[in-house]
């Protein structure tokens, strides 16, 4: 029987959600207060203590560390840009700044791996790279365009694979071509966040859970258990940002869903391959993302029901049965050998999407307020880099990271309801229709191009 919800499969492999840390016990003072105990907040805490060990840092979490996207994601530690090159190149650093940003993301992949090794965090990390496949002529055209664009932006090491070369890695049914990049690692998301929380506590950081933040102001975080007064306050709430006062239209909480299979028998793996443990994506408009887990399952995700009216978010990861069926169908289409393997677990979570589909790190020294997020689904590495950059901004460090083009940029707010709901639901309906037409005709669909223009998605 398929488990639906219970936060995520990742937490179920650890025996379920962790025992919660105590809530805030009345008012307290700190040097830095971080709102949100996900990847961004905990990496910010980690780097603050690396730069200035004497800082008193407290992290305030409504649920438990890793309740949100940090404990539910696809497990891609990828150097993929969390946004649009065209958007980020409009800033003062221009094209050079974007090239520097992508290079920094590649370095941060290795930085996370190194910190995990040094801190004894076993997150099932395998740096097998990222494989993006095309299974229709239209997808192949988009894949080739992406490959050529990467060359122009000085992205190193990517390899173009023909059908035979791609199939030698993973036996994708109908594969026509693929791109492989080495700058990505498979991880176990919950093991990473659990180990990171343990590490920052050992450094002297206080994490309080079961504590709902009711408002954020300069030098103060008000909660249902008291107020934390601090010189700096960092908002690290990603997909849950819309639940804070005044932030409903800041980032759209995009819903993403996943399933994980039962462990797959060795004879089936012999037909599939996947010995390199690459993470796997495709070039569909409504794309999938997948990994081969450490215990030989396949975890695969996609957008499902992309948005809930009024920027609402879920409680425990429960996802629609239709989405479970869609994800299983996508898995069976790409890897027919998995058709008889049951789905063990399904879950959902939210990620933050800015109106221009590009992430931001911001800090105002005059108010002591900062934030990082809006990672548009590429958050595992970007959250680490964002938290690191926030720590450097707070402590006044002038580094190559504090000069990157996502720092202190301005982003337009999302439209009010019902325009937001109508637009996002219509956008993804159009993309699904475009994928159906491309599968039927083999030709690129104009529907997706129109959807891009209407949504202003770069």
């Amino acid at each position: 029987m398929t488990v639906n919800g219970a936060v995520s499969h990742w937490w179920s492999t650890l025996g379920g959600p962790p025992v919660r840390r105590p809530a805030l016990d009345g008012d307290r003072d700190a040097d830095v207060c971080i709102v949100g105990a996900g990847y961004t907040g905990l990496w910010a805490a980690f780097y603050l203590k690396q730069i200035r060990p004497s800082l008193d840092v407290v992290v305030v979490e409504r649920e438990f560390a890793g309740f949100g996207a940090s404990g539910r994601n696809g497990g891609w530690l990828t150097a993929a840009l969390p946004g649009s090159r065209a958007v980020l190149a409009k800033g003062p650093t221009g094209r050079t700044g974007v090239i520097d940003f992508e290079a920094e993301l590649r370095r941060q992949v290795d930085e996370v791996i190194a910190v995990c090794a040094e801190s004894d965090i076993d997150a099932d990390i395998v740096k097998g790279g990222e494989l993006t496949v095309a299974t229709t002529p239209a997808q192949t055209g988009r894949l080739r365009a992406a490959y050529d664009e990467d060359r122009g932006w000085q992205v190193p090491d990517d390899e173009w694979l023909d059908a035979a070369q791609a199939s030698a890695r993973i036996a994708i049914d109908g594969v026509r071509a693929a791109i492989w990049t080495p700058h990505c690692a498979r991880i176990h998301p919950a093991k990473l966040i659990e180990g990171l929380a343990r590490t920052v506590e050992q450094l002297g950081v206080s994490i309080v859970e079961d504590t709902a933040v009711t408002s954020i102001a300069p030098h103060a975080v008000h909660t249902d258990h008291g107020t934390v007064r601090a010189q700096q306050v960092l908002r690290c709430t990603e997909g849950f940002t819309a639940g804070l006062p005044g932030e409903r239209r800041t980032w759209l909480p995009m819903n993403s869903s996943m399933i994980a299979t039962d462990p797959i028998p060795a004879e089936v793996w012999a037909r599939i391959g996947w010995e390199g443990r690459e993470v796997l994506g495709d070039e569909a408009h409504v794309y999938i993302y997948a990994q081969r887990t450490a215990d030989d399952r396949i975890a695969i995700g996609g957008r499902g029901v992309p948005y809930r009216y009024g920027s609402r978010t879920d409680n425990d990861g429960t996802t629609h049965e239709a989405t479970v069926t869609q994800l299983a169908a996508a898995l069976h289409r790409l890897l027919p050998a998995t058709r008889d393997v049951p789905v063990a677990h399904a879950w959902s979570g939210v990620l933050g999407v800015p109106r221009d589909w590009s992430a931001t790190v911001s800090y105002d020294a005059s108010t002591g307020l900062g934030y990082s997020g809006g990672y548009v689904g590429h958050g595992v590495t970007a959250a680490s880099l964002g938290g690191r950059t926030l720590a450097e901004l707070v402590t006044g460090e002038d580094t190559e990271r504090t000069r990157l083009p996502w720092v202190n940029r301005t982003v337009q707010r999302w439209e009010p309801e019902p325009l937001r709901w109508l637009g996002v639901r219509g956008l993804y309906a159009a993309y699904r229709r475009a994928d159906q037409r491309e599968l039927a005709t083999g030709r690129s669909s104009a529907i997706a191009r129109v959807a891009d223009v209407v949504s202003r998605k770069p």
Side-chain angles (χ1 to χ4, degrees), residues 125-147:
I125 297 173
V126 178
K127 194 182 179 187
E130 179 178 334
L131 188 71
T132 306
V133 301
T135 58
T136 69
Q139 288 184 23
T140 305
R142 288 195 294 274
L143 191 70
R144 187 74 213 192
Y147 179 78

Side-chain angles (χ1 to χ4, degrees), residues 300-315:
I300 182 172
R303 285 293 175 261
V305 177
Y307 177 68
R308 300 167 188 254
Y309 190 88
S311 293
R312 289 181 293 116
T313 55
D314 71 285
N315 293 318

Side-chain angles (χ1 to χ4, degrees), residues 65-404:
F67 172 80
S70 299
R72 307 190 197 190
N73 64 82
W76 288 32
L77 181 66
T78 175
L81 188 70
S84 160
R85 288 166 173 156
V87 168
L88 295 169
K90 292 177 182 176
T93 58
R95 177 185 176 85
T96 299
V98 177
I99 292 171
D100 291 344
F101 190 5
E102 295 195 82
E104 195 64 43
L105 286 161
R106 292 190 290 272
R107 287 191 287 270
Q108 193 67 25
V109 170
D110 292 329
E111 165 78 1
V112 172
I113 295 171
V115 171
C116 285
E118 293 164 3
S119 303
D120 195 27
I121 300 173
D122 180 6
D124 296 339
I125 297 173
V126 178
K127 194 182 179 187
E130 179 178 334
L131 188 71
T132 306
V133 301
T135 58
T136 69
Q139 288 184 23
T140 305
R142 288 195 294 274
L143 191 70
R144 187 74 213 192
Y147 179 78
D148 292 341
E149 181 182 339
D150 283 353
R151 304 280 69 69
W153 286 87
Q154 300 180 24
V155 175
D157 307 321
D158 287 6
E159 295 182 16
W160 180 265
L161 308 179
D162 62 23
Q165 291 169 321
S167 294
R169 288 180 175 271
I170 307 175
I172 300 295
D173 190 54
V175 67
R176 290 171 171 267
I179 297 172
W180 177 80
T181 174
H183 303 292
C184 187
R186 178 206 74 186
I187 66 161
H188 185 298
K191 287 184 178 181
L192 176 56
I193 194 72
E194 185 182 62
L196 185 58
R198 181 182 67 250
T199 298
V200 299
E201 285 183 311
Q202 291 170 350
L203 293 171
V205 173
S206 299
I207 302 174
V208 294
E209 298 179 337
D210 271 336
T211 302
V213 172
T214 55
S215 66
I216 296 172
H219 314 304
V221 173
H222 302 287
T223 83
D224 59 352
H225 284 78
T227 296
V228 180
R229 303 195 179 278
Q231 289 302 306
Q232 286 89 21
V233 174
L234 305 180
R235 191 191 78 223
C236 302
T237 47
E238 185 57 358
F240 293 97
T241 299
L244 294 169
E247 305 293 350
R248 186 168 296 277
R249 293 168 56 195
T250 300
W251 294 329
L252 185 140
M254 185 74 74
N255 200 59
S256 199
S257 300
M258 294 196 73
I259 60 173
T261 69
D262 276 352
I264 295 175
E267 59 270 21
V268 177
W269 280 120
R271 294 158 59 191
I272 295 172
W274 215 335
E275 294 299 324
R277 271 62 175 179
E278 306 92 338
V279 300
L280 172 67
D282 71 354
E283 271 294 319
H285 296 293
V286 184
Y287 53 83
I288 60 92
Y289 50 93
Q291 66 152 279
R292 178 177 178 174
T293 68
D295 59 353
D296 281 336
R297 305 170 189 263
I298 293 176
I300 182 172
R303 285 293 175 261
V305 177
Y307 177 68
R308 300 167 188 254
Y309 190 88
S311 293
R312 289 181 293 116
T313 55
D314 71 285
N315 293 318
D316 72 345
T318 301
T319 194
H320 292 75
E321 290 297 333
T323 299
V324 179
T325 300
Q326 291 167 5
L327 289 172
L331 174 61
H332 300 158
R333 175 174 53 82
L334 294 171
L335 295 168
T338 63
R339 288 188 184 278
D340 295 329
V341 180
V343 173
H345 203 142
W347 69 99
S348 294
V350 292
L351 53 104
V353 179
R355 188 63 186 87
D356 63 4
W357 302 79
S358 298
T360 310
V361 178
S362 182
Y363 178 69
D364 182 351
S366 67
T367 63
L369 294 173
Y371 63 85
S372 178
Y375 303 127
V376 294
H378 295 309
V380 180
T381 306
S384 178
L385 183 60
R388 185 179 188 180
T389 305
L390 272 179
E392 292 171 342
L393 290 167
V394 165
T395 55
E397 300 285 307
D398 180 16
T399 71
E400 60 272 24
R401 288 170 290 278
T402 61
R403 297 188 294 271
L404 292 174

